[in-house]
């Protein structure tokens, strides 16, 4: 999978949210299980970015070097930061992005990122002054070669269309929660196809509990000799998404990666596409 600026992306990503003090051990296990891409954020209420960095140091001693891993982290606006924002909240937004980015590369013991993502727009509808100021600050990091790609998360179709149409550098990736009930984020995925933006889907399992018990999905899993989680991740891969998994279980890490090893029929894909409709 390539971005429109020619960066090659791993096909699966390990998400580090909500791992707390287990973050270091789980990241090491995930990489040793076969994940090469890690997602985090400089946002202490949900992520322990510094503990991801500790894992990277430990992995380096075992021969897993920086260039073998794809590191993605995020700039999180102050309204989603809780009481400990990783930047001066009274500074202008451009400075906040620069300070947060500096904190991220320090936590992760690197001098560049593979992907830097705006965690979510400030505006509920459309894009406002804050969104554009922050996006320009992120574009400046990209132009300076400090991150290979840039992206946006938790974005609506309307906002993504505006960003793609008006930004100097449109996002290379979008990261959204993917509900089967909304056609697996059909509108945003359609825009991503149109603008050649890679779609990363998160909470594919936790946002879709009803899919787990769907008899037709269970029948597909039985027929293919896999688990339901693998069917969902396989579906995501087959429709062109880059899925994230947040598993804390080593066996599940291996199972989730096995989604790359089998195929769903066009009928299976069609059924799953419309399962929540
Ligand atoms: N941009 C954002 O705002 C945002 C928001 C939320 C998440 N994210 C990113 O997305 C990542 C993933 O999110 P998520 O944790 O909600 O994803 P998820 O993979 O949908 O959910 C993880 C849950 O699925 C279970 N699971 C995973 N593989 C399984 C398997 N093979 N069989 C059975 N159960 C399985 C896990 O249980 P076990 O632990 O027992 O395996 C865990 O309870 C996060 O870590 C974060 O990096 C981003």
């Amino acid at each position: 999978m390539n971005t429109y600026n020619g960066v090659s992306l791993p096909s699966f990503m390990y998400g580090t949210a909500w791992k707390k003090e287990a973050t270091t051990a789980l990241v090491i296990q995930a990489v040793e299980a076969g994940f090469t891409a890690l997602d985090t954020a400089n946002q202490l209420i949900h992520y322990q970015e510094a503990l991801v960095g500790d894992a990277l140091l430990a992995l380096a001693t075992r021969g897993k070097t920086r260039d073998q891993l794809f590191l993605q982290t995020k700039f999180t606006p102050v309204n989603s930061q809780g009481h400990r924002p990783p930047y001066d909240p009274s500074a202008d937004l451009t400075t906040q992005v620069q300070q947060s980015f500096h904190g991220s590369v320090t936590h992760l013991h690197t001098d560049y990122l593979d992907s830097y993502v705006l965690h979510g727009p400030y505006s509920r509808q459309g894009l406002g002054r804050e969104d554009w100021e922050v996006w320009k600050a992120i574009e400046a990091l990209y132009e300076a070669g400090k991150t290979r790609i840039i992206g946006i998360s938790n974005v609506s179709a309307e906002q993504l269309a505006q960003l793609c149409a008006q930004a100097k550098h449109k996002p290379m990736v979008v990261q959204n929660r993917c509900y089967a009930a909304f056609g697996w984020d059909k509108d945003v995925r359609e825009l991503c196809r149109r603008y050649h933006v890679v779609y990363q889907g998160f909470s594919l399992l936790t946002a879709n509990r009803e899919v787990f018990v769907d008899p037709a999905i269970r029948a597909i899993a039985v027929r293919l000799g896999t688990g339901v989680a693998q069917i969902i991740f396989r579906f995501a891969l087959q429709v062109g998404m880059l899925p994230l998994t947040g598993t804390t279980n080593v066996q599940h890490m291996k199972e989730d990666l096995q989604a790359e090893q089998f195929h769903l029929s066009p009928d299976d894909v069609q059924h799953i596409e419309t399962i929540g409709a």
Side-chain angles (χ1 to χ4, degrees), residues 9-262:
L9 298 183
S11 51
F12 220 129
M13 195 172 275
Y14 184 68
T16 65
W18 311 303
K19 310 290 188 283
K20 299 183 181 168
E21 61 282 358
T23 299
T24 305
L26 286 167
V27 168
I28 293 168
Q29 286 172 347
V31 171
E32 292 191 335
F35 285 93
T36 58
L38 301 170
D39 176 74
T40 184
N42 199 355
Q43 181 201 31
L44 270 176
I45 56 172
H46 295 306
Y47 296 83
Q48 297 293 326
E49 195 181 51
L51 297 188
V52 176
D54 287 352
L56 297 175
L57 289 181
L59 286 161
T61 66
R62 300 177 195 190
K64 192 57 91 173
T65 51
R66 169 69 184 89
D67 57 320
Q68 293 174 280
L69 295 169
F70 185 95
L71 301 183
Q72 173 169 282
T73 189
K74 310 182 194 84
F75 170 77
T76 307
V78 73
N79 56 2
S80 301
Q81 282 286 6
H83 300 300
R84 290 179 291 169
Y87 45 75
D88 175 2
S90 66
D92 62 77
L93 293 171
T94 301
T95 305
Q96 290 181 20
V97 172
Q98 290 165 349
Q99 290 178 351
S100 190
F101 184 91
H102 178 72
S104 289
V105 291
T106 303
H107 289 152
L108 298 170
H109 310 290
T110 184
D111 53 4
Y112 73 97
L113 291 172
D114 294 290
S115 177
Y116 199 54
V117 172
L118 170 54
H119 212 150
Y122 289 72
S123 315
R124 281 189 176 275
Q125 291 186 327
L127 297 175
R129 182 195 63 77
E130 293 109 318
D131 301 308
W132 284 112
E133 182 172 346
V134 165
W135 189 254
K136 285 185 169 70
I138 290 174
E139 287 179 326
L141 293 168
Y142 170 64
E143 289 183 349
K146 294 182 176 181
T147 181
R148 297 167 70 215
I149 63 174
I150 55 178
I152 187 163
S153 182
N154 299 301
V155 69
S156 69
E158 177 210 18
Q159 291 168 324
L160 180 61
Q162 200 179 333
L163 190 60
C164 287
Q166 295 173 20
K168 181 175 179 194
H169 299 287
K170 63 184 179 179
M172 291 98 197
V173 292
V174 156
Q175 186 185 97
N176 266 8
R177 183 170 275 114
C178 197
Y179 291 101
F182 300 125
W184 306 92
D185 211 11
K186 193 165 174 288
D187 294 348
V188 172
R189 286 194 293 130
E190 177 52 37
L191 270 174
C192 285
R193 264 191 292 276
R194 191 184 314 161
Y195 286 103
H196 308 289
V197 176
V198 172
Y199 181 94
Q200 301 179 354
F202 67 80
S203 300
L204 282 156
L205 306 183
T206 44
N208 299 301
R209 297 287 187 202
E210 75 287 358
V211 176
F212 259 80
V213 293
D214 179 85
I217 290 260
R218 286 183 170 270
I220 296 170
V222 169
R223 194 179 79 232
L224 295 174
T226 71
V228 173
Q230 288 161 300
I231 298 293
I232 294 172
F233 287 130
R234 180 66 220 171
F235 162 76
L237 291 167
Q238 246 173 276
V239 298
M241 283 187 216
L242 193 168
L244 288 103
T245 175
T247 181
T248 56
N249 175 303
V250 179
Q251 188 54 36
H252 290 167
M253 290 174 186
K254 293 177 184 156
E255 284 175 17
D256 294 351
L257 284 171
Q258 278 164 13
E260 300 183 75
Q261 307 300 325
F262 67 95

